[in-house]
């Protein structure tokens, strides 16, 4: 049984990917210091899979601690999620984002190198495209100026991996540029449950509707964008579909079919929804009215971005199975679940 390291494995996307990996027959080790996640996620993984994963409470930006963890294992590959990810916070705290996100990546690469491993899947983001000139974006779409320090850390992370792969032909990496993950596991046992206040659209919608946030009204940031209704356009992908894509990418990078030692894929449904359309979908699917107001634009937000996923389908065999209705149904079921961590 191949052993896989998942950094940030107690986080939202990480925990769903851990489930998918276990169900695909892998042994998983998680590194997560719970900066923006909770131990309850790993309990949820155990409840779903019947497996207790080995967990390291390690700050991956700490080189010595990270390399000590690697010394205890022989990993067949690693999926690197661990990073600070709040766009607005990154604008206010750029140095913290650069220090954490880049140092943790460097240390994970070094750890893989020291044990002779050569397989990495990197959690990148559609934010690397900035305000793209054409939509939908493809893997060949030029990256534009990053709109936030968070987005810049993803651009720089991709560049670090690319530069390293040029010097090490035996090191293989996949960059996954995914769009807006949302929803929760169909079991209702894991979902988006950050320890910090949520900033992503769907958990803000469900949190406001359930009365679980410090504020009882949601703000739609920007109503004068050049879109259908003036609000931002994003590509929303169900988190279980996204998790499956990571497993497929891992199998691809560990296999023999890659034509070069680095590749990248867009992961999205391939269509865009505005913020106001997402709110409408939530209200329709769950029969709940949302209390919201219209506000000014927010620093760091791009106007619109959504994916062309043709390459991921053709190369990885990845097909999203769930749409916006399933996203909203599972997100609401998770938000209103009685035993959700508070």
């Amino acid at each position: 049984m191949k052993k896989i390291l998942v950094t940030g494995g107690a986080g939202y996307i990480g925990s769903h990917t851990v489930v998918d990996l276990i169900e695909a027959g892998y042994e998983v080790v998680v590194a997560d210091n719970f900066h923006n996640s909770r131990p309850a996620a790993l309990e949820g993984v155990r409840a779903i899979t019947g497996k207790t994963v080995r967990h390291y409470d390690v700050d991956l930006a700490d080189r010595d601690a990270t390399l000590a963890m690697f010394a205890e294992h022989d990993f067949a590959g690693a999926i690197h999620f661990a990073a600070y990810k709040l766009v607005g916070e990154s604008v206010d705290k750029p140095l913290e984002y650069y220090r954490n996100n880049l140092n943790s990546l460097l240390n994970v690469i070094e750890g893989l190198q020291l044990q002779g491993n050569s397989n990495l899947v990197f959690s990148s983001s559609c934010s690397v495209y900035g305000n793209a000139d054409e939509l939908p974006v493809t893997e060949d779409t030029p990256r534009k100026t990053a709109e936030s320090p968070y987005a810049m850390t993803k651009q720089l992370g991709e560049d670090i991996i690319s530069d390293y792969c040029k010097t090490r032909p035996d090191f293989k990496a996949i960059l996954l540029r995914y769009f807006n993950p949302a929803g929760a596991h169909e079991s209702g046992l894991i979902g988006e449950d950050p320890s910090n206040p949520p900033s992503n659209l769907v958990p803000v919608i469900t949190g406001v509707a359930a009365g679980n946030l410090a504020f009882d009204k949601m703000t739609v940031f920007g109503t004068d964008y050049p879109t259908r209704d003036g609000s931002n356009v994003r590509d929303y992908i169900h988190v279980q579909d996204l998790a499956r894509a990571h497993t497929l990418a891992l199998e691809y990078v560990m296999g023999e079919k890659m034509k070069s030692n680095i590749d990248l894929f867009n992961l999205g449904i391939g269509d865009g929804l505005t913020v106001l359309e997402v709110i409408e979908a939530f209200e329709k699917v769950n029969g709940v009215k949302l209390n919201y107001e219209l506000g000014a634009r927010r620093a760091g937000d791009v106007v619109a971005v959504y994916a062309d996923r043709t390459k991921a389908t053709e190369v990885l065999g990845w097909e999203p199975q769930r749409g916006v209705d399933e996203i909203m149904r599972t997100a609401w079921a998770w938000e209103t679940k009685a035993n959700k961590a508070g």
Side-chain angles (χ1 to χ4, degrees), residues 85-253:
K85 65 175 187 176
L86 302 180
V87 171
E89 183 180 67
S90 78
V91 174
D92 295 331
K93 302 176 180 180
L95 291 185
E96 290 186 21
Y97 271 68
Y98 289 125
R99 184 177 296 113
N100 180 78
N101 292 5
L102 299 181
N103 284 342
S104 62
L105 173 61
L106 292 169
N107 293 336
V108 167
I109 291 174
E110 185 175 358
L112 290 172
Q113 172 189 315
L114 289 175
Q115 66 172 211
N117 184 282
S118 63
N119 302 308
L120 174 67
V121 175
F122 176 62
S123 168
S124 190
S125 166
C126 65
S127 64
V128 301
Y129 291 113
N131 278 306
D133 292 329
E134 296 182 359
L135 295 172
V137 295
T138 72
E139 288 80 1
D140 294 324
T141 297
R143 298 185 324 187
K144 301 293 287 295
T145 301
E147 294 294 312
S148 68
Y150 163 75
M152 179 61 80
T153 68
K154 290 303 183 182
Q155 289 186 348
L156 291 172
E158 290 187 354
D159 292 344
I160 288 168
I161 295 169
S162 178
D163 287 344
Y164 186 67
C165 284
K166 291 174 184 176
T167 67
R168 287 286 301 271
D170 60 326
F171 190 91
K172 296 193 295 182
I174 299 292
L175 313 176
L176 296 182
R177 294 173 177 171
Y178 47 79
F179 287 67
N180 290 65
H185 194 272
E186 59 195 3
S187 67
L189 293 170
I190 55 175
E192 190 161 9
D193 191 23
S195 55
N196 295 321
S199 64
N200 293 336
L201 177 61
V202 174
V204 170
I205 288 175
T206 58
V208 168
N212 290 336
L213 299 181
F215 47 93
D216 60 6
K217 181 184 291 186
M218 177 188 147
T219 300
V220 176
F221 294 106
T223 59
D224 59 348
Y225 288 103
T227 62
R228 290 183 294 274
D229 55 28
S231 60
N232 300 96
V233 172
R234 296 290 185 271
D235 186 335
Y236 295 90
I237 175 174
H238 195 282
V239 66
Q240 282 186 263
D241 287 332
L242 186 56
R244 182 60 187 157
H246 282 79
T247 300
L248 293 172
L250 179 73
E251 292 172 347
Y252 182 62
V253 79

Side-chain angles (χ1 to χ4, degrees), residues 17-95:
T17 300
V18 169
V19 168
D20 199 84
L21 287 168
I22 292 173
E23 291 178 342
Y26 294 98
E27 179 184 354
V28 178
V29 174
V30 166
D32 198 308
N33 66 351
F34 304 121
H35 172 80
N36 193 31
S37 59
R38 302 178 193 272
L42 299 180
E43 288 300 312
V45 168
R46 183 193 58 77
I48 294 169
T49 65
K51 303 287 187 179
T52 300
V53 300
R54 178 75 180 272
H55 167 244
Y56 285 83
D57 184 354
V58 58
D59 179 356
L60 294 167
D62 182 332
R63 179 176 178 272
D64 291 341
T66 301
L67 297 185
M69 175 190 66
F70 272 95
E72 297 182 18
H73 298 277
D74 182 16
F75 296 118
I79 301 179
H80 183 51
F81 290 106
Y84 294 169
K85 65 175 187 176
L86 302 180
V87 171
E89 183 180 67
S90 78
V91 174
D92 295 331
K93 302 176 180 180
L95 291 185

Side-chain angles (χ1 to χ4, degrees), residues 220-332:
V220 176
F221 294 106
T223 59
D224 59 348
Y225 288 103
T227 62
R228 290 183 294 274
D229 55 28
S231 60
N232 300 96
V233 172
R234 296 290 185 271
D235 186 335
Y236 295 90
I237 175 174
H238 195 282
V239 66
Q240 282 186 263
D241 287 332
L242 186 56
R244 182 60 187 157
H246 282 79
T247 300
L248 293 172
L250 179 73
E251 292 172 347
Y252 182 62
V253 79
M254 293 192 302
E256 304 296 329
K257 295 182 179 180
M258 287 182 65
K259 296 180 180 179
S260 67
N261 64 330
I262 186 169
D263 208 343
L264 65 91
F265 297 90
N266 285 335
L267 299 177
I269 293 221
D271 193 12
L273 294 172
T274 70
V275 173
L276 292 173
E277 287 169 344
V278 173
I279 291 173
E280 180 182 1
F282 168 78
E283 293 179 332
K284 177 182 176 182
V285 169
N286 298 303
V288 178
K289 295 297 292 183
L290 184 70
N291 185 19
Y292 68 93
E293 63 183 1
L294 305 179
R297 296 187 184 192
R298 180 174 57 179
D301 284 341
V302 300
V303 177
V305 62
Y306 53 94
D308 181 330
R309 60 177 174 84
T310 302
K311 183 179 177 182
T313 298
E314 292 180 348
V315 178
L316 300 180
W318 177 70
E319 290 279 359
Q321 302 297 310
R322 305 160 183 87
V324 67
D325 287 356
E326 186 67 6
I327 285 173
M328 293 304 169
R329 185 192 67 77
T330 56
W332 184 238

